[in-house]
Amino acid sequence: CGTNVRGGHWEYVEAQNTSQPYIFSPNVCEASYINKNDCVKAMTRCPSNLMSWVYFGNNNKPYPRFDVDGFRRVMKNKRIIFVGPSLIRQQVQALVWTLGHETVDWVKTA
């Protein structure tokens, strides 16, 4: 979309004023975790209002929200490969939750 991310700032925005990209809950975590410890870490380290923070760019406008429908349309019949350590695992889980999945059955491949 051509928006420059540099020079902006984060602001706390009350939940009623903006839609949240996803709602994190213990139930969603328990139904979708890759590693059982992920939910323990998330519950102890992530504030409950984490999704109320919005990034504002140099033009003082909120950075566009992730377009779930657009992402699904562009990625239809394609694969995403995440390679790396546990940080990648957290990115996978955030993407799964952002796409609206509340239950995931992970399959380990060789």
Side-chain angles (χ1 to χ4, degrees):
C1 75
T3 303
N4 186 346
V5 180
R6 290 189 198 170
H9 62 280
W10 289 93
E11 287 184 22
Y12 181 79
V13 178
E14 291 295 331
Q16 66 265 21
N17 296 336
T18 183
S19 64
Q20 297 183 358
Y22 63 83
I23 304 298
F24 176 80
S25 73
N27 293 341
V28 170
C29 192
E30 290 293 327
S32 62
Y33 68 81
I34 296 173
N35 182 305
K36 181 81 172 149
N37 289 330
D38 293 340
C39 295
V40 174
K41 289 180 207 171
M43 291 300 149
T44 57
R45 296 184 183 161
C46 294
S48 61
N49 65 355
L50 182 64
M51 289 304 175
S52 296
W53 287 90
V54 176
Y55 185 82
F56 286 80
N58 288 339
N59 57 5
N60 215 27
K61 292 183 180 176
Y63 196 75
R65 291 283 186 178
F66 180 71
D67 179 7
V68 174
D69 294 329
F71 180 83
R72 288 177 190 244
R73 189 173 43 258
V74 169
M75 295 306 296
K76 184 176 182 178
N77 297 322
K78 295 182 179 160
R79 291 182 182 201
I80 299 174
I81 298 174
F82 291 89
V83 179
S86 63
L87 180 60
I88 300 302
R89 184 176 72 233
Q90 293 166 359
Q91 292 172 341
V92 170
Q93 286 178 303
L95 178 60
V96 166
W97 295 336
T98 302
L99 293 174
H101 298 285
E102 294 184 0
T103 304
V104 179
D105 294 322
W106 297 101
V107 177
K108 188 173 185 177
T109 60

